[in-house]
Amino acid sequence: MKVLEREVSPPKRNYLKIETSGLSRDLDSIISIGIAEKDSHKIKIYYVESFKDERLLLEEVLPLIDGKIFITYAGKNFDLGFFKTKCQMYFSKDFSFNFIDLQEVTKAYNFIFKLPSHSNKVLLDNFLDTSNLSKEKDYQGIKIKSLFKKFIEGDKSSMDRILDYSLESLKNLILLDEKIRESLKSKLSFDLSSSAFTLEEFEWLGNTIILQGKTNYPEDYFASRGLYSLEVFNKLEEKLSFLNLKEYNKSFVIKINTEDGLYDEKNKCYFIVKKDFPLSLENKSKLKSPSKIIILYYLDHVFENEKELCKKILEVELKN
């Protein structure tokens, strides 16, 4: 087993990228694990020189990632399965893996991003200036499995190509995380007077829309108006969160009761009637609707309208 190190601007979070000899966690091997640790000046790619090195690779890397939070791409759907299978195979025990998966993040917020898919290429094309990713085109369609086979057969340059690809992928992962995070915060956040608010979770439960977020509003608050309720309270114990809004000391929850009706032949929409709310409301989305109602959910969250209603409720209740 060997380690490739490269200088990098210290990232603000931990990042991880693995390469494997194939897609089967039972039959294939982890051949490299790339790590960029928070505040570290070096990216490290740990890699094998033969199939028998896989255990050594894991013995070296697992203590570095056990219990820590790492940003990944497809980490929950791919990396995690490999790690768990290999840990049982070699060590007969589980480790604590805390992976935030950018693919899952963009899927969860796709009512904001509206991406056609969540492939790595689509994310890079939508969030990064790909003209500055000089090596990205060099690796389109790269076949790690074929390169590793050539390496095992004696072609040392094949491993160099795998490592180069892994290094570039890890750098891109760092950039991608930063851009997705910036984009989400700009879309989810707003200020009301001297207080800042950031929406974080969106839930549709029956005819109720539940909006949750964080704020630096200084006081606790509760109101129940029949059509909606609002609560501002001290933050509960933090769960694993992409936005990680530690700068806010309060949470807020708004629950909105909606009416429903068919929007088209197959799908319902969930809406409020404007005259029922003592607020100045308008349709902020591109979704066409009758002037007397505001649609909050149709096929997915109508984010623009939900955010606007959230702001109006907070303005009225907190007298901002």
Side-chain angles (χ1 to χ4, degrees), residues 221-235:
Y221 187 88
F222 178 79
S224 180
R225 307 300 182 197
L227 295 171
Y228 67 84
S229 65
L230 165 65
E231 185 174 7
V232 181
F233 54 94
N234 288 330
K235 284 197 301 187

Side-chain angles (χ1 to χ4, degrees), residues 258-274:
T258 69
E259 300 184 33
D260 64 78
L262 283 176
Y263 186 84
D264 52 38
E265 293 182 355
K266 296 181 179 180
N267 302 292
K268 282 184 177 181
C269 68
Y270 295 81
F271 61 89
I272 60 169
V273 179
K274 290 201 291 189

Side-chain angles (χ1 to χ4, degrees), residues 3 6 8 76-77 82 103 109 111 128 148 151 176 184 190 211-212 221 224 267 292 303 319:
V3 184
R6 291 291 184 270
V8 67
K76 288 189 176 180
N77 292 324
F82 263 89
Q103 189 178 46
Y109 288 104
F111 55 87
L128 300 184
F148 189 64
F151 171 71
L176 198 55
L184 266 183
F190 55 89
L211 309 176
Q212 301 184 61
Y221 187 88
S224 180
N267 302 292
K292 294 181 179 181
F303 166 68
K319 304 297 188 294

Side-chain angles (χ1 to χ4, degrees), residues 196-219:
F197 296 82
T198 299
L199 285 162
E200 192 171 22
E201 296 182 39
F202 299 75
E203 186 178 0
W204 170 50
L205 188 61
N207 275 61
T208 303
I209 304 291
I210 304 172
L211 309 176
Q212 301 184 61
K214 301 292 192 305
T215 181
N216 60 2
Y217 185 75
E219 301 174 13

Side-chain angles (χ1 to χ4, degrees), residues 102-118 122-123 126-127 176-177 179-188 242-243 300-301 303-304:
L102 291 188
Q103 189 178 46
E104 293 299 309
V105 169
T106 55
K107 284 180 180 178
Y109 288 104
N110 205 41
F111 55 87
I112 296 175
F113 295 131
K114 298 178 173 61
L115 300 174
S117 80
H118 301 272
V122 167
L123 297 192
N126 278 270
F127 292 102
L176 198 55
D177 171 58
K179 292 300 182 181
I180 291 173
R181 201 176 294 271
E182 288 172 9
S183 178
L184 266 183
K185 281 194 173 182
S186 68
K187 290 177 169 63
L188 294 170
F242 177 66
L243 291 177
D300 208 334
H301 294 278
F303 166 68
E304 302 88 346

